[in-house]
Amino acid sequence: MMRPADYEVISGGVTAVPGTLASGVSCGLKEKGKDLALVCMDKIAAAAAVFTTNRVKAAPVMVSQEHLKGGVAQAIVVNSGNANACTGVEGLQDARRMAEITAQKLNILPRHVVVASTGVIGVPLPMDKIETGIERAVAELSPQGGRAAAEAIMTTDTCVKEYALRTEIGGREVTVGGMAKGAGMIHPNMATMLAFITTDLNISSKSLRKALSTTVDRSFNMITVDGDTSTNDMVVLLANGLAGNPVLQEFGNGWQEFLDALEHVCVELAKMIARDGEGATKLVEVRVLNAQSAEEARKAARAIAASNLVKTALFGNDANWGRIMAALGYSGAQFNPDLVEVSFASNAGREVVAMNGRGINFSEERVENILRNDTVQLIVDLKEGEAEATAWTCDLSYDYVRINADYRT
Amino acid sequence: MMRPADYEVISGGVTAVPGTLASGVSCGLKEKGKDLALVCMDKIAAAAAVFTTNRVKAAPVMVSQEHLKGGVAQAIVVNSGNANACTGVEGLQDARRMAEITAQKLNILPRHVVVASTGVIGVPLPMDKIETGIERAVAELSPQGGRAAAEAIMTTDTCVKEYALRTEIGGREVTVGGMAKGAGMIHPNMATMLAFITTDLNISSKSLRKALSTTVDRSFNMITVDGDTSTNDMVVLLANGLAGNPVLQEFGNGWQEFLDALEHVCVELAKMIARDGEGATKLVEVRVLNAQSAEEARKAARAIAASNLVKTALFGNDANWGRIMAALGYSGAQFNPDLVEVSFASNAGREVVAMNGRGINFSEERVENILRNDTVQLIVDLKEGEAEATAWTCDLSYDYVRINADYRT
């Protein structure tokens, strides 16, 4: 379904898309580095978003949900260093004020501003710093600002996460760009994960919403770092229509092309998040093949990807397929344990380690060699049906513990 | 409901119970130490058990489920060092053979033997060693053998887990004893956890089953070490009737006393398992108070106890109540985030850190002092209703990663 050959990967992240400006500045929310990002469209755009399923929702999540009810937006303001979560009525007022200040400086409506925050929970937002930051960010908006914005949304991330591609949709050249932050508290159903995606496609708000939710289920909802779902997650998608195609509707001409392009961008960003999981030494791709249904495949892949025992074994380059079988067993997926085949793969080759639900003779040395790689695959063939799914995670290392045991990081 | 004052804690573990013999021997399944345990009653006993919910069930689980259908048993044979899981038809034959050999040497029926295994997944049981072990274990059966048996079921456990008490039930003196093994792969709904409990109470099989399932939900199903549910878990309870009380039925005279005594033994063993979680430096008790229902309280307590982020923070003695709020939020429990109060407690005192869902001014030094303790409590008051629940876990340390990243341990 994914046809990367049709895409031209380009630089620029969210600002690769025509009509999009961005900036990233420092306003003192974090000890060092940029901590306030702004993305702004030339015109009002169709907008869709997916939010955390956590019952404890940060103030910016509530405000953005409210603002996006109309299905349109023009700007996104994001701060790192402070989550504005568990901050009560004042937190809600602060999040609203962030939108108002941004709207005022950009001369747009407050309800056309999406607000996001990430960082420490339970500390009031220092609004004076935020205000200074927004002012500075508006002044620095630029068509080359994508990278600075991507830097400003980072917390414990060790690298900038952005991606953009150009492709043809319904006969028109269309660009899709995005940026994300991840690191800890990452788990299916939106984790401490922020992703902002832009496109110049001309599409209805309703169709955009459909496209995003479909795509998120196959990308961001298939990554897990530590099984913790955060209070602040959101994925926001803005489409400004500058590509000039006839308004795209669900199942219309170019619909599948758009889904594919969007999925490609989301999967690339999701993989960057998984690879950069706190303390990670490798990206782990869990592929479940030949399941009875896509839902069964997803359940199985996610449970294996979320297992602490599987993840620590991978840190040790240990071919512990028994832990994979155990995770599969409690995943809730339907399968016959006596049919399962498990193999490990990477650039160094592929080795089957279990067939018909039982261990077979395999070279531990060869598997260790396969696993000693920065991208590895666990392939679980259920031999039940024809559906498949992929989940992404990272290994669980000493550094995960170090990073999370020390509240000063 | 628990009235520990009514109990006399005694030594002897499973063999504290009259009419019970046990032994633990070494037969070469593990590199060193005892690895085969036997528990045997003087007469056929009422029997009940709870098994892993994992779809991938080890052979001994399947055989014991079969054998316990009749509600009676007389002996339990357990090996450590090899899980006999993912071992196919031969594994099933081996588990049956373990029961047969034991039955033959004890001159009882094979279906009166419960079989359990724990250890590496996917490796065939070396039946010659097992046979030698059973022979030796039968020869060494003794009324003082409880501790040796408890030693023989250990894997990565760092200490022996046994407990016994004497109490009065329905006017008769009754003893309840137990042993358990835990360490890794521990999570609600039966994890790599084995527990064997004996009593001389006279009780019907049906009532015994009811008592065990009620009790397990409040004890073993409320502990989590790493969220992984294993292929081999079981809790088995044998009651030989030697106390001579009139057969106890559900809700009969002494029913509540028995539930309380059984719960006390199960909770003590469950806490030993949580405290000895792989790499643990402390026992963490998560108490959720004033929930709408017991089920909501349990959900909330379990989610907090299972959070990697909460557990790493506790390893670092960090008062990170935000992570507790986040885990509460994704637990699925019903609550109003704006009412929640969070506090930390231990022998060093108690400190409230959040009220009405928001952080309050508290002394980080005082909390750090509270958390720098080998038993700590997280208390979450939902202020919604009157139900409560407690879950037990341990912190997540560097050593958890070390133990599980190295397949040679």
Side-chain angles (χ1 to χ4, degrees):
Chain A
M1 213 179 71
M2 303 275 280
R3 292 156 308 177
D6 299 351
Y7 306 129
E8 185 192 351
V9 177
I10 57 178
S11 64
V14 288
T15 46
V17 173
T20 310
L21 306 173
S23 60
V25 301
S26 167
C27 66
L29 295 169
K30 290 195 300 201
E31 270 181 34
K32 55 178 184 177
K34 300 190 171 72
D35 47 22
L36 196 130
L38 186 61
V39 178
C40 185
M41 292 279 183
D42 284 357
K43 56 193 281 282
I44 295 172
V50 180
F51 296 98
T52 182
T53 55
N54 199 307
R55 180 172 288 264
V56 179
K57 289 184 198 341
V61 169
M62 293 190 267
V63 169
S64 294
Q65 278 177 323
E66 223 172 84
H67 287 189
L68 285 170
K69 272 190 188 141
V72 294
Q74 192 165 354
I76 306 170
V77 61
V78 193
N79 74 276
S80 57
N82 186 317
N84 193 11
C86 301
T87 43
V89 180
E90 290 82 348
L92 216 51
Q93 283 166 351
D94 288 344
R96 289 218 173 84
R97 185 88 192 105
M98 262 179 89
E100 280 160 16
I101 298 167
T102 307
Q104 196 191 346
K105 307 282 175 202
L106 291 171
N107 201 21
I108 63 175
L109 294 176
R111 67 181 158 87
H112 290 165
V113 179
V114 177
V115 185
S117 301
T118 176
V120 177
I121 294 177
V123 178
L125 262 192
M127 285 307 292
D128 48 337
K129 291 180 181 174
I130 293 279
E131 181 149 12
T132 314
I134 293 172
E135 243 168 57
R136 209 172 293 164
V138 169
E140 295 195 13
L141 276 174
S142 127
Q144 281 81 43
R147 188 173 179 91
E151 283 171 15
I153 64 174
M154 289 164 67
T155 55
T156 51
D157 304 68
T158 66
C159 61
V160 174
K161 296 167 186 70
E162 53 172 4
Y163 194 81
L165 60 79
R166 197 178 284 135
T167 186
E168 214 170 85
I169 295 176
R172 290 284 184 142
E173 188 180 271
V174 170
T175 305
V176 182
M179 64 179 182
K181 66 98 22 199
M185 250 199 204
I186 303 291
H187 194 60
N189 301 317
M190 299 292 96
T192 301
M193 190 193 75
L194 299 176
F196 305 101
I197 301 155
T198 53
T199 178
D200 52 357
L201 186 73
N202 191 17
I203 182 171
S204 71
S205 294
K206 195 181 152 207
S207 305
L208 193 71
R209 211 174 296 135
K210 184 67 195 296
L212 184 65
S213 71
T214 307
T215 306
V216 165
D217 276 345
R218 296 160 168 273
S219 55
F220 297 115
N221 276 346
M222 292 304 286
I223 57 175
T224 175
V225 167
D226 53 20
D228 278 77
T229 302
S230 116
T231 50
N232 287 59
D233 310 322
M234 60 173 92
V235 178
V236 181
L237 170 56
L238 302 185
N240 65 20
L242 290 182
N245 56 297
V247 184
L248 182 63
Q249 303 290 358
E250 196 181 343
F251 304 122
N253 177 30
W255 174 248
Q256 191 56 50
E257 283 90 338
F258 177 53
L259 284 189
D260 290 350
L262 186 60
E263 181 172 333
H264 187 69
V265 170
C266 290
V267 164
E268 288 305 314
L269 291 171
K271 282 159 72 172
M272 289 179 202
I273 291 172
R275 182 188 295 282
D276 195 29
E278 285 170 344
T281 75
K282 64 189 73 167
L283 172 67
V284 179
E285 201 164 277
V286 178
R287 295 185 59 200
V288 172
L289 308 179
N290 301 314
Q292 282 174 16
S293 71
E295 190 41 37
E296 300 298 312
R298 273 201 284 265
K299 265 191 232 170
R302 279 196 298 227
I304 296 167
S307 160
N308 276 357
L309 286 170
V310 169
K311 287 151 57 76
T312 42
L314 289 169
F315 174 58
N317 299 314
D318 171 13
N320 200 319
W321 61 270
R323 294 179 183 175
I324 295 173
M325 287 294 290
L328 191 61
Y330 63 71
S331 68
Q334 296 292 321
F335 69 99
N336 178 349
D338 294 332
L339 298 180
V340 179
E341 181 182 301
V342 179
S343 46
F344 294 100
S346 75
N347 286 338
R350 177 172 174 169
E351 181 93 2
V352 179
V353 295
M355 288 183 76
N356 304 316
R358 306 180 51 175
I360 58 170
N361 269 329
F362 64 89
S363 154
E364 285 202 11
E365 200 191 323
R366 208 150 53 214
V367 175
E368 204 178 314
N369 206 36
I370 286 168
L371 295 179
R372 209 174 281 290
N373 222 285
D374 72 354
T375 305
V376 302
Q377 288 195 328
L378 312 190
I379 304 162
V380 177
D381 189 336
L382 299 182
K383 309 207 180 220
E384 286 273 357
E386 295 184 340
E388 60 177 87
T390 304
W392 295 273
T393 186
C394 55
D395 53 343
L396 174 55
S397 73
Y398 295 115
D399 275 353
Y400 175 83
V401 178
R402 185 187 53 71
I403 293 164
N404 285 300
D406 183 354
Y407 58 95
R408 283 158 296 265
T409 57
Chain B
M1 213 179 74
M2 304 275 280
R3 292 156 309 179
D6 300 349
Y7 306 130
E8 184 192 351
V9 177
I10 57 178
S11 64
V14 288
T15 47
V17 173
T20 309
L21 306 174
S23 60
V25 300
S26 166
C27 67
L29 296 169
K30 291 196 298 202
E31 270 180 34
K32 56 179 183 177
K34 299 189 174 72
D35 46 23
L36 196 128
L38 187 60
V39 178
C40 185
M41 292 276 183
D42 285 356
K43 57 193 281 283
I44 294 173
V50 180
F51 296 98
T52 182
T53 56
N54 197 308
R55 181 173 286 263
V56 179
K57 288 185 198 341
V61 169
M62 294 191 264
V63 169
S64 294
Q65 277 178 322
E66 221 172 87
H67 286 188
L68 285 170
K69 272 190 187 141
V72 294
Q74 192 165 354
I76 305 170
V77 61
V78 193
N79 75 275
S80 57
N82 185 317
N84 193 11
C86 302
T87 43
V89 179
E90 290 82 349
L92 215 51
Q93 283 164 353
D94 288 345
R96 288 217 173 85
R97 185 89 193 104
M98 263 178 87
E100 281 159 18
I101 298 168
T102 307
Q104 197 189 348
K105 308 282 177 202
L106 291 171
N107 202 22
I108 62 174
L109 294 176
R111 67 180 160 86
H112 290 165
V113 179
V114 177
V115 184
S117 300
T118 176
V120 178
I121 294 177
V123 178
L125 263 191
M127 285 306 293
D128 49 336
K129 290 181 181 173
I130 294 279
E131 182 149 10
T132 314
I134 293 172
E135 242 167 58
R136 209 173 291 165
V138 170
E140 294 194 12
L141 277 174
S142 127
Q144 281 82 42
R147 189 173 179 91
E151 283 170 15
I153 64 174
M154 289 164 66
T155 55
T156 51
D157 304 66
T158 66
C159 60
V160 174
K161 297 167 185 72
E162 52 172 3
Y163 194 81
L165 60 79
R166 198 178 284 135
T167 186
E168 214 171 86
I169 295 176
R172 290 285 184 138
E173 186 181 273
V174 170
T175 305
V176 182
M179 63 178 182
K181 66 100 20 198
M185 249 198 205
I186 303 290
H187 194 61
N189 300 317
M190 299 292 95
T192 301
M193 190 193 73
L194 298 175
F196 305 101
I197 301 156
T198 53
T199 179
D200 53 356
L201 185 74
N202 191 18
I203 181 170
S204 71
S205 295
K206 194 181 151 208
S207 304
L208 194 70
R209 211 174 296 135
K210 183 66 195 296
L212 184 65
S213 71
T214 306
T215 306
V216 165
D217 277 345
R218 297 160 166 274
S219 55
F220 297 114
N221 276 345
M222 292 304 287
I223 56 176
T224 175
V225 167
D226 52 21
D228 278 76
T229 302
S230 117
T231 50
N232 286 60
D233 311 322
M234 59 172 93
V235 178
V236 180
L237 170 57
L238 302 186
N240 65 21
L242 291 182
N245 58 296
V247 184
L248 181 63
Q249 304 289 359
E250 196 180 344
F251 305 122
N253 176 30
W255 175 247
Q256 191 57 49
E257 283 91 337
F258 177 53
L259 284 189
D260 290 351
L262 186 61
E263 181 172 333
H264 187 68
V265 171
C266 290
V267 164
E268 287 304 315
L269 290 172
K271 281 160 73 172
M272 289 179 201
I273 291 172
R275 182 188 294 282
D276 194 28
E278 287 170 344
T281 73
K282 64 188 73 167
L283 173 67
V284 179
E285 201 163 276
V286 179
R287 294 186 59 199
V288 172
L289 309 178
N290 300 315
Q292 282 175 16
S293 71
E295 189 42 36
E296 300 298 313
R298 272 202 285 265
K299 265 192 232 170
R302 278 197 298 226
I304 296 166
S307 160
N308 276 356
L309 286 169
V310 170
K311 286 151 58 72
T312 42
L314 288 169
F315 174 58
N317 300 314
D318 171 13
N320 200 318
W321 61 271
R323 294 179 182 176
I324 295 172
M325 287 294 290
L328 192 60
Y330 64 70
S331 69
Q334 297 291 321
F335 69 98
N336 178 347
D338 293 333
L339 298 180
V340 179
E341 181 181 303
V342 179
S343 46
F344 294 100
S346 74
N347 286 339
R350 177 171 173 169
E351 182 92 3
V352 179
V353 295
M355 287 181 76
N356 304 317
R358 306 181 51 175
I360 59 170
N361 269 331
F362 64 88
S363 153
E364 285 204 10
E365 199 191 322
R366 209 150 51 215
V367 175
E368 203 178 315
N369 207 36
I370 287 169
L371 295 180
R372 208 174 283 289
N373 222 283
D374 71 355
T375 305
V376 304
Q377 287 195 327
L378 312 191
I379 304 162
V380 177
D381 189 337
L382 300 182
K383 309 205 180 220
E384 286 273 356
E386 295 184 340
E388 61 176 88
T390 304
W392 296 273
T393 188
C394 55
D395 53 342
L396 175 55
S397 73
Y398 296 115
D399 275 353
Y400 175 83
V401 178
R402 186 187 52 73
I403 292 163
N404 285 300
D406 184 354
Y407 57 94
R408 284 159 295 266
T409 57

